[in-house]
Amino acid sequence: MAQVLLKREENIAIIRVNRPEALNALSRSIIDEMDELVEEVMKDKEIRCLILHSEKNFAAGADIKKMVECNEEEARAFLFSPTYNKIADLSIPVIAAIEGYALGGGMELAMTADIRIAGEGAKMGFPEITLGIMPGAGGTIRVPRIIGEARAKELIFTGDVITAQKALSMGLVNRVAEDDHVLDEAMKLAKKLAKRAPIAMAMAKKTIKAGQEEQSHNKGIEIEAANWAKLFTTQDQKEGMRAFLEKRKPDFQNK
Ligand code: CO8
Protein backbone atom coordinates (compact mmCIF):
# COMPACT_ATOMS: atom_id res chain seq x y z
CA MET A 1 0.00 0.00 0.00
CA ALA A 2 1.40 3.36 -1.03
CA GLN A 3 2.38 5.57 1.89
CA VAL A 4 2.34 8.70 -0.25
CA LEU A 5 -0.28 9.47 -2.87
CA LEU A 6 -0.31 11.79 -5.86
CA LYS A 7 -3.67 13.02 -7.05
CA ARG A 8 -4.39 15.22 -10.07
CA GLU A 9 -7.30 17.61 -10.37
CA GLU A 10 -7.03 19.22 -13.78
CA ASN A 11 -3.69 21.05 -13.70
CA ILE A 12 -3.30 20.91 -9.93
CA ALA A 13 -1.41 18.13 -8.13
CA ILE A 14 -1.93 17.07 -4.53
CA ILE A 15 0.67 15.08 -2.60
CA ARG A 16 -0.61 13.27 0.49
CA VAL A 17 1.01 11.19 3.19
CA ASN A 18 -1.11 8.13 3.95
CA ARG A 19 -0.10 6.76 7.33
CA PRO A 20 -3.03 7.72 9.55
CA GLU A 21 -2.24 5.21 12.32
CA ALA A 22 0.93 7.17 13.18
CA LEU A 23 -0.58 10.61 12.49
CA ASN A 24 1.36 10.64 9.20
CA ALA A 25 4.77 10.55 10.92
CA LEU A 26 7.44 10.60 8.24
CA SER A 27 9.90 7.73 7.75
CA ARG A 28 12.80 7.36 5.33
CA SER A 29 10.66 5.18 3.03
CA ILE A 30 7.86 7.78 3.03
CA ILE A 31 10.32 10.49 2.05
CA ASP A 32 11.70 8.23 -0.71
CA GLU A 33 8.18 7.71 -2.07
CA MET A 34 7.50 11.41 -1.80
CA ASP A 35 10.70 12.13 -3.71
CA GLU A 36 9.55 9.99 -6.64
CA LEU A 37 6.21 11.77 -6.75
CA VAL A 38 7.88 15.18 -6.61
CA GLU A 39 10.01 14.06 -9.59
CA GLU A 40 6.79 13.15 -11.43
CA VAL A 41 5.37 16.59 -10.69
CA MET A 42 8.60 18.20 -11.92
CA LYS A 43 8.41 16.34 -15.23
CA ASP A 44 4.74 17.06 -15.88
CA LYS A 45 4.66 20.42 -17.61
CA GLU A 46 0.86 20.55 -17.43
CA ILE A 47 0.89 20.91 -13.63
CA ARG A 48 0.62 24.53 -12.54
CA CYS A 49 0.40 24.23 -8.75
CA LEU A 50 1.19 21.63 -6.08
CA ILE A 51 -0.78 21.25 -2.84
CA LEU A 52 0.74 19.37 0.10
CA HIS A 53 -2.15 17.98 2.12
CA SER A 54 -2.76 14.92 4.27
CA GLU A 55 -6.08 13.85 5.72
CA LYS A 56 -6.71 14.77 9.39
CA ASN A 57 -3.04 15.33 10.30
CA PHE A 58 -0.50 17.03 8.08
CA ALA A 59 2.37 15.07 9.73
CA ALA A 60 3.34 14.60 13.38
CA GLY A 61 7.04 14.84 12.57
CA ALA A 62 9.77 12.42 11.65
CA ASP A 63 9.28 8.88 12.92
CA ILE A 64 10.66 8.76 16.46
CA LYS A 65 10.56 4.95 16.51
CA LYS A 66 12.92 4.86 13.53
CA MET A 67 15.26 7.50 15.00
CA VAL A 68 15.47 6.57 18.66
CA GLU A 69 18.49 4.24 18.39
CA CYS A 70 20.22 6.04 15.51
CA ASN A 71 23.89 6.88 15.85
CA GLU A 72 25.37 9.99 14.21
CA GLU A 73 26.01 8.27 10.90
CA GLU A 74 22.52 6.77 10.74
CA ALA A 75 20.99 10.12 11.66
CA ARG A 76 22.93 11.64 8.77
CA ALA A 77 21.43 9.05 6.43
CA PHE A 78 17.92 9.83 7.73
CA LEU A 79 18.03 13.31 6.22
CA PHE A 80 14.94 14.66 4.49
CA SER A 81 16.49 17.87 3.14
CA PRO A 82 17.23 16.79 -0.44
CA THR A 83 13.53 16.04 -1.03
CA TYR A 84 12.40 19.11 0.90
CA ASN A 85 14.75 21.30 -1.14
CA LYS A 86 13.38 19.74 -4.33
CA ILE A 87 9.85 20.77 -3.28
CA ALA A 88 10.95 24.27 -2.29
CA ASP A 89 12.78 24.64 -5.61
CA LEU A 90 9.84 23.59 -7.82
CA SER A 91 9.20 26.26 -10.41
CA ILE A 92 5.43 26.05 -9.77
CA PRO A 93 3.81 27.50 -6.63
CA VAL A 94 3.37 25.12 -3.69
CA ILE A 95 0.61 25.45 -1.08
CA ALA A 96 0.56 23.58 2.23
CA ALA A 97 -2.97 22.83 3.44
CA ILE A 98 -2.51 22.02 7.11
CA GLU A 99 -5.03 20.03 9.12
CA GLY A 100 -4.38 18.66 12.60
CA TYR A 101 -0.80 18.19 13.71
CA ALA A 102 2.10 19.63 11.75
CA LEU A 103 5.09 19.06 14.02
CA GLY A 104 8.84 18.84 13.66
CA GLY A 105 9.77 17.37 10.28
CA GLY A 106 6.07 17.70 9.33
CA MET A 107 6.10 21.43 9.94
CA GLU A 108 9.44 21.65 8.12
CA LEU A 109 7.68 20.06 5.14
CA ALA A 110 5.00 22.76 5.36
CA MET A 111 7.78 25.37 5.41
CA THR A 112 8.91 24.22 1.93
CA ALA A 113 5.62 25.57 0.55
CA ASP A 114 5.27 29.10 -0.78
CA ILE A 115 1.94 29.63 1.00
CA ARG A 116 0.48 27.91 4.08
CA ILE A 117 -3.24 27.61 4.90
CA ALA A 118 -4.09 26.11 8.28
CA GLY A 119 -7.33 24.75 9.66
CA GLU A 120 -8.70 26.38 12.83
CA GLY A 121 -7.86 23.28 14.84
CA ALA A 122 -4.35 22.81 13.44
CA LYS A 123 -1.51 22.42 15.94
CA MET A 124 1.92 23.40 14.80
CA GLY A 125 5.41 23.59 16.20
CA PHE A 126 8.92 22.27 16.48
CA PRO A 127 8.96 19.93 19.51
CA GLU A 128 12.40 18.48 18.67
CA ILE A 129 14.04 20.14 21.68
CA THR A 130 11.76 18.08 23.98
CA LEU A 131 13.27 14.97 22.38
CA GLY A 132 16.87 16.08 22.82
CA ILE A 133 17.38 17.14 19.21
CA MET A 134 16.66 20.16 16.96
CA PRO A 135 14.98 20.67 13.57
CA GLY A 136 17.00 18.93 10.86
CA ALA A 137 15.13 19.34 7.60
CA GLY A 138 15.69 22.99 6.80
CA GLY A 139 13.78 24.35 9.80
CA THR A 140 16.70 26.21 11.34
CA ILE A 141 17.11 28.10 8.07
CA ARG A 142 13.55 28.44 6.72
CA VAL A 143 11.74 29.31 9.93
CA PRO A 144 13.86 32.40 10.80
CA ARG A 145 13.65 33.55 7.17
CA ILE A 146 9.86 33.27 7.20
CA ILE A 147 8.96 34.61 10.66
CA GLY A 148 12.15 36.34 11.81
CA GLU A 149 14.93 35.16 14.08
CA ALA A 150 13.45 36.03 17.47
CA ARG A 151 10.11 34.31 16.83
CA ALA A 152 11.86 31.31 15.30
CA LYS A 153 14.08 31.00 18.37
CA GLU A 154 11.08 31.17 20.68
CA LEU A 155 9.35 28.35 18.80
CA ILE A 156 12.44 26.15 18.39
CA PHE A 157 13.81 26.75 21.92
CA THR A 158 10.50 26.17 23.73
CA GLY A 159 9.22 23.36 21.49
CA ASP A 160 5.75 24.82 22.12
CA VAL A 161 2.90 23.56 19.98
CA ILE A 162 0.83 26.55 18.85
CA THR A 163 -2.68 27.10 17.50
CA ALA A 164 -3.52 28.22 13.98
CA GLN A 165 -4.44 31.71 15.22
CA LYS A 166 -1.09 32.08 17.00
CA ALA A 167 0.68 30.79 13.87
CA LEU A 168 -1.19 33.38 11.82
CA SER A 169 -0.19 36.18 14.17
CA MET A 170 3.45 35.06 13.88
CA GLY A 171 3.37 34.85 10.08
CA LEU A 172 4.00 31.11 10.19
CA VAL A 173 0.84 30.59 8.10
CA ASN A 174 -0.76 32.93 5.56
CA ARG A 175 -4.38 32.16 6.36
CA VAL A 176 -6.67 30.23 8.66
CA ALA A 177 -9.71 28.41 7.28
CA GLU A 178 -12.49 26.31 8.81
CA ASP A 179 -11.19 22.81 9.43
CA ASP A 180 -13.49 21.22 6.86
CA HIS A 181 -12.57 23.78 4.22
CA VAL A 182 -8.77 23.83 4.33
CA LEU A 183 -8.38 21.83 1.15
CA ASP A 184 -11.17 23.78 -0.59
CA GLU A 185 -9.41 27.04 0.25
CA ALA A 186 -6.12 25.64 -0.99
CA MET A 187 -7.79 24.44 -4.21
CA LYS A 188 -9.41 27.83 -4.76
CA LEU A 189 -6.07 29.56 -4.39
CA ALA A 190 -4.31 26.92 -6.52
CA LYS A 191 -6.83 27.45 -9.32
CA LYS A 192 -6.21 31.19 -9.19
CA LEU A 193 -2.43 30.72 -9.29
CA ALA A 194 -2.79 28.18 -12.12
CA LYS A 195 -4.33 30.91 -14.27
CA ARG A 196 -1.39 33.27 -13.79
CA ALA A 197 1.47 33.41 -16.31
CA PRO A 198 3.60 30.34 -15.54
CA ILE A 199 6.91 31.72 -16.81
CA ALA A 200 6.52 34.93 -14.85
CA MET A 201 5.43 32.90 -11.80
CA ALA A 202 8.54 30.70 -12.02
CA MET A 203 10.74 33.74 -12.53
CA ALA A 204 9.20 35.57 -9.58
CA LYS A 205 9.69 32.51 -7.37
CA LYS A 206 13.29 32.07 -8.48
CA THR A 207 14.06 35.74 -8.06
CA ILE A 208 12.56 35.92 -4.57
CA LYS A 209 14.71 32.93 -3.63
CA ALA A 210 17.84 34.50 -5.11
CA GLY A 211 17.13 37.61 -3.07
CA GLN A 212 17.13 35.43 0.05
CA GLU A 213 20.77 34.50 -0.59
CA GLU A 214 20.77 31.01 -2.00
CA GLN A 215 24.42 30.33 -1.21
CA SER A 216 24.11 30.96 2.47
CA HIS A 217 20.95 28.81 2.51
CA ASN A 218 22.83 25.84 1.10
CA LYS A 219 25.68 26.39 3.55
CA GLY A 220 23.10 26.61 6.34
CA ILE A 221 21.55 23.29 5.27
CA GLU A 222 25.01 21.65 5.42
CA ILE A 223 25.71 22.96 8.90
CA GLU A 224 22.23 21.98 10.05
CA ALA A 225 22.66 18.41 8.75
CA ALA A 226 25.99 17.97 10.53
CA ASN A 227 24.82 19.44 13.84
CA TRP A 228 21.50 17.58 13.74
CA ALA A 229 23.27 14.25 13.32
CA LYS A 230 25.82 15.14 16.05
CA LEU A 231 22.94 15.28 18.56
CA PHE A 232 22.54 11.52 18.07
CA THR A 233 25.84 11.06 19.94
CA THR A 234 24.19 12.44 23.12
CA GLN A 235 22.45 10.48 25.88
CA ASP A 236 19.83 13.23 25.99
CA GLN A 237 18.64 12.30 22.47
CA LYS A 238 18.20 8.66 23.54
CA GLU A 239 16.46 9.76 26.76
CA GLY A 240 14.18 12.24 24.98
CA MET A 241 13.02 9.80 22.31
CA ARG A 242 12.80 6.78 24.62
CA ALA A 243 10.73 8.85 27.06
CA PHE A 244 8.30 9.73 24.25
CA LEU A 245 7.94 6.09 23.19
CA GLU A 246 7.57 4.94 26.81
CA LYS A 247 4.99 7.70 27.36
CA ARG A 248 6.85 9.40 30.26
CA LYS A 249 8.60 12.76 30.84
CA PRO A 250 12.27 12.93 29.81
CA ASP A 251 15.02 13.47 32.38
CA PHE A 252 17.76 15.33 30.51
CA GLN A 253 21.25 15.01 32.06
CA ASN A 254 23.15 17.39 29.79
CA LYS A 255 25.22 14.50 28.43
N1 CO8 B 1 6.93 9.30 15.33
C1 CO8 B 1 6.47 8.04 15.50
N2 CO8 B 1 5.25 7.76 15.94
C2 CO8 B 1 4.43 8.80 16.18
C3 CO8 B 1 4.83 10.12 16.02
C4 CO8 B 1 6.15 10.35 15.57
N3 CO8 B 1 6.61 11.58 15.33
N4 CO8 B 1 3.81 10.92 16.35
C5 CO8 B 1 2.81 10.11 16.70
N5 CO8 B 1 3.17 8.84 16.59
C6 CO8 B 1 2.39 7.65 16.88
C7 CO8 B 1 2.32 7.41 18.39
O1 CO8 B 1 3.47 6.75 18.86
C8 CO8 B 1 1.06 6.56 18.46
O2 CO8 B 1 1.39 5.23 18.08
P1 CO8 B 1 0.92 3.99 19.00
O3 CO8 B 1 -0.57 4.02 18.86
O4 CO8 B 1 1.57 2.84 18.34
O5 CO8 B 1 1.38 4.29 20.41
C9 CO8 B 1 0.17 7.12 17.35
O6 CO8 B 1 1.05 7.83 16.47
C10 CO8 B 1 -0.86 8.09 17.87
O7 CO8 B 1 -0.19 9.07 18.64
P2 CO8 B 1 -0.58 9.42 20.16
O8 CO8 B 1 -1.22 8.25 20.82
O9 CO8 B 1 0.61 10.01 20.82
O10 CO8 B 1 -1.71 10.53 19.87
P3 CO8 B 1 -2.13 11.75 20.78
O11 CO8 B 1 -3.33 12.33 20.13
O12 CO8 B 1 -2.20 11.35 22.21
O13 CO8 B 1 -0.92 12.80 20.65
C11 CO8 B 1 0.75 14.09 19.50
C12 CO8 B 1 -0.64 13.41 19.44
C13 CO8 B 1 0.71 15.23 20.50
C14 CO8 B 1 1.03 14.61 18.10
C15 CO8 B 1 1.79 13.02 19.93
O14 CO8 B 1 1.66 11.87 19.14
C16 CO8 B 1 3.21 13.52 19.80
O15 CO8 B 1 3.68 14.28 20.62
N6 CO8 B 1 3.92 13.03 18.74
C17 CO8 B 1 5.31 13.36 18.55
C18 CO8 B 1 5.45 14.72 17.96
C19 CO8 B 1 6.90 15.10 17.81
O16 CO8 B 1 7.63 15.18 18.76
N7 CO8 B 1 7.30 15.32 16.55
C20 CO8 B 1 8.66 15.67 16.23
C21 CO8 B 1 9.44 14.43 15.94
S1 CO8 B 1 11.16 14.77 15.74
C22 CO8 B 1 11.26 15.39 14.19
O17 CO8 B 1 10.31 15.57 13.49
C23 CO8 B 1 12.64 15.70 13.76
C24 CO8 B 1 12.61 16.39 12.47
C25 CO8 B 1 13.96 16.34 11.93
C26 CO8 B 1 13.83 16.14 10.45
C27 CO8 B 1 15.08 15.65 9.87
C28 CO8 B 1 14.90 14.22 9.65
C29 CO8 B 1 15.97 13.72 8.90
Side-chain angles (χ1 to χ4, degrees):
M1 172 93 167
Q3 299 178 96
V4 190
L5 309 167
L6 174 63
K7 202 178 149 204
R8 274 282 295 269
E9 278 194 31
E10 294 170 20
N11 53 2
I12 293 156
I14 305 173
I15 288 185
R16 280 212 160 103
V17 179
N18 181 30
R19 197 192 173 200
E21 68 287 358
L23 316 183
N24 293 323
L26 305 162
S27 61
R28 177 73 263 150
S29 63
I30 288 184
I31 297 301
D32 289 342
E33 280 185 36
M34 188 180 290
D35 197 86
E36 280 179 26
L37 298 180
V38 173
E39 290 278 343
E40 259 186 57
V41 169
M42 277 165 94
K43 281 182 205 134
D44 188 337
K45 298 298 166 210
E46 298 294 307
I47 295 175
R48 293 285 173 83
C49 186
L50 170 66
I51 298 176
L52 303 172
H53 171 262
S54 303
E55 304 276 357
K56 283 205 177 143
N57 290 291
F58 189 81
D63 192 324
I64 300 169
K65 286 177 198 160
K66 295 271 164 60
M67 286 186 292
V68 58
E69 300 306 336
C70 280
N71 60 29
E72 184 177 358
E73 202 183 319
E74 289 160 342
R76 266 278 197 180
F78 204 78
L79 278 184
F80 295 176
S81 287
T83 303
Y84 283 17
N85 287 346
K86 222 178 253 183
I87 298 171
D89 289 344
L90 284 171
S91 59
I92 55 171
V94 180
I95 302 170
I98 306 168
E99 284 179 41
Y101 287 109
L103 300 175
M107 194 58 203
E108 289 178 291
L109 175 61
M111 303 311 278
T112 66
D114 300 301
I115 296 168
R116 279 160 291 282
I117 302 177
E120 282 167 339
K123 295 197 178 73
M124 289 160 273
F126 300 93
E128 286 92 338
I129 201 96
T130 67
L131 298 165
I133 58 165
M134 64 177 208
T140 64
I141 297 109
R142 288 195 180 96
V143 184
R145 290 234 167 114
I146 293 169
I147 62 173
E149 188 181 323
R151 286 171 166 172
K153 282 180 173 165
E154 188 179 344
L155 273 184
I156 292 170
F157 291 180
T158 61
D160 282 350
V161 175
I162 61 169
T163 62
Q165 279 305 332
K166 178 92 197 242
L168 180 66
S169 72
M170 285 181 137
L172 195 65
V173 301
N174 296 66
R175 300 186 197 175
V176 176
E178 284 177 37
D179 282 323
D180 293 344
H181 291 101
V182 183
L183 186 57
D184 294 343
E185 283 284 320
M187 276 306 278
K188 222 162 45 183
L189 179 59
K191 281 179 183 160
K192 183 190 244 186
L193 300 181
K195 287 194 196 109
R196 303 296 187 243
I199 297 170
M201 178 79 71
M203 193 62 89
K205 183 163 167 171
K206 194 167 141 187
T207 310
I208 290 167
K209 187 180 173 201
Q212 304 270 327
E213 299 171 307
E214 190 179 349
Q215 276 196 339
S216 74
H217 174 89
N218 288 342
K219 187 75 203 152
I221 287 277
E222 251 175 58
I223 295 167
E224 182 191 62
N227 290 346
W228 186 80
K230 222 174 262 164
L231 289 169
F232 284 74
T233 65
T234 68
Q235 288 176 23
D236 281 353
Q237 171 268 324
K238 296 285 172 284
E239 168 60 15
M241 293 196 175
R242 284 177 187 153
F244 171 77
L245 296 173
E246 291 160 16
K247 304 188 191 295
R248 60 175 173 82
K249 289 218 181 315
D251 178 15
F252 293 123
Q253 297 293 326
N254 196 19
K255 286 186 203 155

